[in-house]
Amino acid sequence: MASTKLFITSFLLALALSSMRFSLGARHLLQTTTSPNFPTIPTLPKPTSLPPLPSIPTSLPPLPSIPTLPQGSNVIPTLPTIPSLPKSTTTLPPLPSMNIPTTIPTLPQVNLPPFPATSFPNMPSIPNTFPSIPFFSPPPSTKTP
């Protein structure tokens, strides 16, 4: 366990010191060297005259004319007449009359015979407490503290 902690500590220390050296070395290089001389990019010659562009028509040809529909009379034709139903001269027969009683007839009284005088057996009662469970004491210890 101690060797693992020692290894991790030494690794972190080496990493910290190496990054310090790298940063100091990069700073030293930036201060001592001069910027490199890149070759200059030559300028491109500017064109003096452009060739003429092809002629583009500025107006479109006229659209074809819309054909005209034949003009008829503005009279709306009349709708055909719906034939009327013949008038019935017969009448419907009257509905049959129903005699609804206004009073409800009474029902006859029924006398039931009495129940026999037998007694039902007693149901056993359900206990509502838990029985106590005896706990035994642990065996004596063979060792002394």
Side-chain angles (χ1 to χ4, degrees):
M1 185 73 179
S3 64
T4 307
K5 288 183 182 179
L6 181 64
F7 176 73
I8 291 174
T9 307
S10 62
F11 179 74
L12 289 176
L13 184 64
L15 184 67
L17 291 176
S18 68
S19 65
M20 179 71 80
R21 285 187 183 167
F22 283 129
S23 63
L24 287 175
R27 184 174 183 182
H28 178 69
L29 283 176
L30 284 174
Q31 289 177 349
T32 57
T33 59
T34 60
S35 63
N37 293 330
F38 293 115
T40 59
I41 299 173
T43 58
L44 296 174
K46 293 184 181 180
T48 56
S49 65
L50 292 174
L53 294 174
S55 64
I56 300 173
T58 57
S59 64
L60 296 174
L63 293 173
S65 63
I66 299 174
T68 58
L69 297 174
Q71 298 296 325
S73 64
N74 291 335
V75 177
I76 299 174
T78 59
L79 294 174
T81 58
I82 300 174
S84 62
L85 294 174
K87 297 192 180 207
S88 72
T89 56
T90 60
T91 59
L92 294 175
L95 293 175
S97 64
M98 295 174 60
N99 293 331
I100 300 174
T102 57
T103 60
I104 299 174
T106 59
L107 295 175
Q109 295 291 329
V110 179
N111 291 328
L112 296 175
F115 285 112
T118 59
S119 63
F120 292 108
N122 289 336
M123 298 295 291
S125 63
I126 299 173
N128 56 5
T129 59
F130 290 109
S132 63
I133 300 172
F135 289 103
F136 299 107
S137 60
S141 173
T142 57
K143 296 181 183 178
T144 58

